[in-house]
Amino acid sequence: MNAIKWSDIVAGREAAYNALYDRYADLLYGYGMKIVTDEAVVMDAIQTLFMNIFEKRKSLSAPNSIAAYLCRSLKNLLINEMQSATTRYTCKMDDTVDYDFDLQPDAENVIVAGEIEKEKILVFKEELGKLSRQQREILYLRYYKGLEIDEIAEILSVSKRTVYNTSNNALTRLRENKVLAKYFSEAIIVLLLSMEKFYNI
């Protein structure tokens, strides 16, 4: 996969923009839908994000991680959108904004892919729901989306140590859960968190 040169973005080269969108659209859509479960809002925010990059390209510094930069920018746009909504969301001006980040295992896909009973997947979903929002968000970005610790830290505006500790604490909680322990080993838990077919989005 060819590297995207930020200098080409700054220069306004159409091919670079197309490559940027093609490479990161799925990541942004999946992440956005975990924050706001409204497809139209997420798609509008993604379009706005790329328009903003184009309009402000000459003043933008090259990011350390394009993926982290895009996810963080999309999150800010969605938070701003939630702040302006008066009927569906109650938000604050910082990262304590009230969004759920619900991980939705696709039981049917997992059953077909791994021959795991639906009952077990639903139990796993229930236990995931008991984790904190930050724990779920970090697990999703680290294991499903494959982002690095420093990238996740940038997206969430926390330290790398916080990301590392939160991830480990979440896995420990899942691994030591007596209900899950009956069904899944630690390796299977990590595998499920990483599976392409595990999530609805």
Side-chain angles (χ1 to χ4, degrees), residues 103-107 109-125 128 139-140 143-145 171 174 180 183-201:
L103 296 184
Q104 293 284 343
D106 190 326
N109 274 340
V110 175
I111 291 167
V112 171
E115 298 182 354
I116 298 175
E117 292 89 343
K118 184 175 183 179
E119 175 188 357
K120 295 179 181 179
I121 297 302
L122 293 179
V123 169
F124 192 43
K125 173 185 175 181
L128 280 174
L139 289 180
Y140 176 83
Y143 291 102
Y144 182 55
K145 291 303 183 181
L171 284 179
L174 292 173
L180 288 183
Y183 300 136
F184 307 112
S185 67
E186 180 179 1
I188 294 299
I189 288 174
V190 172
L191 176 63
L192 287 172
L193 291 170
S194 306
M195 282 179 61
E196 181 177 353
K197 293 184 178 182
F198 183 68
Y199 304 98
N200 285 331
I201 298 297

Side-chain angles (χ1 to χ4, degrees), residues 52-71:
N52 288 346
I53 291 174
F54 180 79
E55 292 173 356
K56 301 175 182 178
R57 64 190 185 279
K58 293 183 179 179
S59 62
L60 296 177
S61 301
N64 293 325
S65 163
I66 293 177
Y69 168 74
L70 292 175
C71 285

Side-chain angles (χ1 to χ4, degrees), residues 142-161:
R142 185 176 184 186
Y143 291 102
Y144 182 55
K145 291 303 183 181
L147 298 184
E148 300 294 335
I149 294 291
D150 57 339
E151 292 178 311
I152 299 170
E154 180 179 341
I155 293 169
L156 302 185
S157 295
V158 297
S159 69
K160 290 187 287 186
R161 174 57 59 182

Side-chain angles (χ1 to χ4, degrees), residues 81-101:
E81 176 63 26
M82 288 191 287
Q83 287 169 342
S84 66
T86 58
T87 58
R88 295 182 59 191
Y89 303 100
T90 301
C91 307
K92 300 178 182 179
M93 289 299 293
D94 56 26
D95 282 337
T96 62
V97 60
D98 185 18
Y99 64 93
D100 188 43
F101 210 87

